[in-house]
Every structure is written in structure tokens, then in C-alpha cells.
Amino acid sequence: MKFKGGSSSAQTVDQCRMLVVAAQRPVPRRILGLCVGSLGKWADNFVAQGCGGSKEHSFQHPFLQAVGMFLGEFSCLAAFYLLRCRAARHPDASVDPEQPFNPLLFLPPALCDMTGTSIMYVALSMTSASSFQMLRGAVIIFTGLFSVAFLGRRLVLSQWLGILATIAGLVVVGLADLLSKHDDQHKLSEVITGDLLIIMAQVVVSIQMVLEEKFVYKHNVHPLRAVGTEGLFGFVILSLLLVPMYYIPAGSFSGNPRGMLEDALDAFCQVGRQPLIALALLGNISSIAFFNFAGISVTKEMSATTRMVLDSLRTVVIWALSLALGWETFHPLQILGFIILLMGTALYNGLHRPLLTRLSRGQPLAEEGERERLLDTSRTAINDAS
């Protein structure tokens, strides 16, 4: 990563922001989160009979859905090898050279990805899609703290203020869930559990980002290969774990008639009786594969402001869609929580600095040239995604 001048604090801001958004990963997670949240919730809301003539019940199979997500990531390996073959035939095609690396380096991040994704799919079946989307903003808190503890980062004042604002926003969103009306499908205890699971999953996701930053990306691995390799590990391991999950009792925590941690056979029976479930699952897998592939050409070109806008639009679209389809009820506190989370993200990503630059233009002309030079240098470092 190259910096065009600026102070060491500006470089630290840029490095931390790059860590938070995982800019070297090709996934535009704001768009991907929109599809995962809406399509995953759509699949959860279907009701169909299971195996052995069981009664109709909701399609609550979070671990099987997580396997589908890793299948979508795994497909990125095929795209990577197609691009490499194309590069071999056309030397002008730009494929970044890679250093030799051990593929097992991807195993720890893949385990974190598998754990975090599985927890989030479990949580999505318990809480609303909009709360699911907003509470994922907690990743800023834990990534910032872990980057200080394990990567030696130094956070500036605005980033600490962003973390505090994010915590306040999470509290408001959680309070909105407590005060909202709950139907028979989502009881208050389930909503609280789901919200806590989402925040717990962000801890795991933050560990994944730190591991990738510390051990993986120094080898200059192609982004599609990185995502595809992690998808391969996650797909194989979680698919094998479906076997013991079929025999592990989970009591009321389970969403299938047998009361097991996961019942993949019941899921396939429900898919056979309700084809729209298959459409939702295939849509989820396809969206993950497509946005991983398409995002490689845009992620490094997107500024922090663009990512912020996409992140906001993603939450708003999921929120509006959930209200329109009757998946949840409106509560005014969600608006307040969303705004506070937005402010926290903006502060952490340094989006207040361009505003300060504009305000500084009111300074005397004698100081204006030097101040603009300093602020422009910092702004370039913050918004530089290369």
C-alpha cells in the first residue's frame, strides 16, 4: 500500500479503514449483505412438510444455508482459473503475480468464516432482517480493538468516537427490538438471543479479518483465489459436520421436528415439497458467486464515501422490503439507531475530514494554501483504496 505523503496518523487511519472494509477481499459486502439478508430471510419464512409425513414447519436450516454460501465462495476458484487461462493466452491481461504460499494459511480464516456465518444464519432465523443488518455494524468495534491489540495499530480520536457511537447505536437498535411487537414466530426471548448471536458473530468475523491481514495478504494472493480457497475449506468442513449435527439434540434451539442441531434430510424434503425454497437458496448461492466475481473490478476503486452510501442503501432496502412484506413491524427507535450507527461508521472511516476541509476554506487566505495542502494529503490517504 502506498501513501502519497501525509502524517503517520493519516496512514494509521487508512490502514485501519482498509482492515475494516477488507478492501483486498473482492466481495462488495454491502451488496452481498443485501442478498444474504433478504434471500436468507425469505427462505426462513417458507413453511412446508418435512420427511416422514411430518407437519408443516418453517424452513430453519441455518447450517445447510451456510454450506450453500461456501459453495458460492468456492465457485470463485473456477473463475480464478478461467482468468489465469485467459491471461496465459493473452499476455496483456493483468493478473497480479503471486508469491509462493501454503494453502493451509487460509484454514484459520476459513474456520472463522464458517463459525461466524453459521452463527449469523442461526441468528437470522430468530430476529428481523433489518436488525440483522444493522447489528452487523458491530464489526467496527471488535476489528478496531483487535487491530490495536494484535496488529499494533493506533486509532485516532475520531475512530474511538466512531466506536463509541457504534456501541450507542447498537444499544438503541436492541432497545427497539425489545419494545417492538413480536409475533408467534419470533418471541421476545428469541429476538434477544438472535441479536446477541449477531454481535457474537462479529467478534469471529473481526478475528478473521485480523488473521487475513496478518498472515494471508502479505503473500499477494489473488482475491478470487483467496475467497475461493476459504470457500473450499468451509464447504468441505461444514458439509462433513452436517453428519454429526444430524444426531446432536438441540432441544428448543432446534427448528426441525426431530429437535436436532441440523437435519439436512428434512431440509431436502422441504425443498422437494416447496420449490420456491430451492429458488431462494440458489439465488443466495448465485449472488455470492456473482458479487465475489464482479466485485474484484470495483472494490479497489470505491472510495470510503461510496462504500458508506452502499452500506446505508443496503440497510434501507432490507428494512423497506421487510416492512413491505410484513416480516416485521415499524418502530421509530430503529431510525434513531440507524442514524447513530451511520454516524459511528462515518467517524471511524474518516468521512468527516472532507467536511472539515470545506469548512477550513473560510480561514484567512494567508493560511489557506498550507492548510489545504495538509488536509488534501490526509484525505488522499484516507480515501485511497489501492
Side-chain angles (χ1 to χ4, degrees):
M1 186 183 303
K2 297 181 180 179
F3 297 94
K4 303 175 182 178
S7 63
S8 59
S9 62
Q11 295 180 9
T12 302
V13 174
D14 186 55
Q15 290 171 341
C16 291
R17 178 184 61 78
M18 293 290 286
L19 176 64
V20 173
V21 301
Q24 296 189 51
R25 290 179 66 90
V27 189
R29 291 189 180 273
R30 283 108 185 121
I31 305 174
L32 180 59
L34 171 63
C35 297
V36 171
S38 55
L39 291 174
K41 195 63 180 179
W42 186 35
D44 290 340
N45 286 335
F46 280 112
V47 176
Q49 286 185 339
C51 298
S54 61
K55 296 181 179 179
E56 291 187 346
H57 54 278
S58 299
F59 185 83
Q60 295 187 11
H61 299 280
F63 296 100
L64 184 66
Q65 287 180 284
V67 169
M69 191 212 75
F70 285 115
L71 180 60
E73 288 188 359
F74 177 36
S75 65
C76 292
L77 269 183
F80 166 74
Y81 286 113
L82 287 176
L83 288 177
R84 195 161 75 169
C85 291
R86 181 172 177 268
R89 293 194 304 266
H90 305 281
D92 293 337
S94 58
V95 176
D96 295 335
E98 297 182 359
Q99 302 174 3
F101 69 96
N102 186 349
L104 291 179
L105 283 175
F106 290 98
L107 182 58
L111 293 176
C112 292
D113 195 7
M114 179 186 70
T115 305
T117 301
S118 300
I119 294 175
M120 282 191 284
Y121 271 112
V122 172
L124 184 59
S125 65
M126 295 181 172
T127 189
S128 63
S130 62
S131 296
F132 169 82
Q133 204 60 57
M134 293 182 192
L135 293 175
R136 289 178 68 183
V139 70
I140 287 179
I141 301 172
F142 303 110
T143 305
L145 296 178
F146 290 157
S147 66
V148 171
F150 301 109
L151 297 179
R153 307 294 193 208
R154 294 183 61 184
L155 303 184
V156 296
L157 177 61
S158 62
Q159 291 179 306
W160 287 113
L161 292 176
I163 289 177
L164 292 177
T166 302
I167 294 174
L170 295 176
V171 172
V172 174
V173 172
L175 185 61
D177 282 341
L178 287 176
L179 300 178
S180 298
K181 297 180 180 179
H182 305 285
D183 52 21
D184 295 335
Q185 183 180 0
H186 296 105
K187 299 179 181 179
L188 179 59
S189 59
E190 291 184 353
V191 172
I192 296 176
T193 303
D195 290 350
L196 293 176
L197 286 176
I198 295 172
I199 297 176
M200 185 188 305
Q202 304 318 303
V203 178
V204 182
V205 172
S206 301
I207 295 175
Q208 174 191 349
M209 290 184 176
V210 171
L211 289 174
E212 290 172 342
E213 176 79 7
K214 190 172 183 65
F215 299 111
V216 176
Y217 290 129
K218 63 182 180 181
H219 295 281
N220 194 27
V221 182
H222 193 283
L224 285 179
R225 187 174 190 180
V227 175
T229 305
E230 288 187 12
L232 172 61
F233 281 124
F235 176 75
V236 172
I237 295 174
L238 195 54
S239 296
L240 293 176
L241 288 178
L242 289 179
V243 177
M245 287 181 183
Y246 184 82
Y247 300 99
I248 298 177
S252 58
F253 187 74
S254 172
N256 54 77
R258 296 178 59 249
M260 299 299 169
L261 188 58
E262 181 60 281
D263 191 343
L265 295 181
D266 179 74
F268 290 126
C269 290
Q270 287 188 289
V271 170
R273 291 181 170 86
Q274 177 53 271
L276 287 178
I277 299 178
L279 180 62
L281 297 179
L282 289 176
N284 199 9
I285 296 173
S286 301
S287 64
I288 291 169
F290 173 76
F291 287 121
N292 271 287
F293 177 75
I296 187 174
S297 61
V298 299
T299 299
K300 291 185 178 181
E301 302 299 329
M302 285 165 45
S303 66
T305 305
T306 305
R307 283 189 291 267
M308 184 76 170
V309 171
L310 287 177
D311 188 60
S312 306
L313 289 177
R314 173 192 64 178
T315 303
V316 170
V317 169
I318 290 182
W319 194 3
L321 184 63
S322 299
L323 292 174
L325 296 177
W327 292 351
E328 60 181 280
T329 56
F330 173 78
H331 197 285
L333 273 181
Q334 284 188 316
I335 298 180
L336 178 60
F338 174 66
I339 293 175
I340 298 176
L341 287 172
L342 206 60
M343 292 173 56
T345 305
L347 283 172
Y348 194 93
N349 289 337
L351 300 187
H352 61 289
R353 293 180 180 268
L355 178 61
L356 294 179
T357 303
R358 290 181 178 274
L359 294 177
S360 68
R361 293 176 180 176
Q363 298 292 329
L365 294 177
E367 301 177 2
E368 185 175 295
E370 184 177 356
R371 289 181 60 84
E372 280 191 357
R373 180 179 63 80
L374 292 175
L375 287 169
D376 285 343
T377 303
S378 300
R379 183 180 59 198
T380 301
I382 290 173
N383 290 331
D384 185 11
S386 58

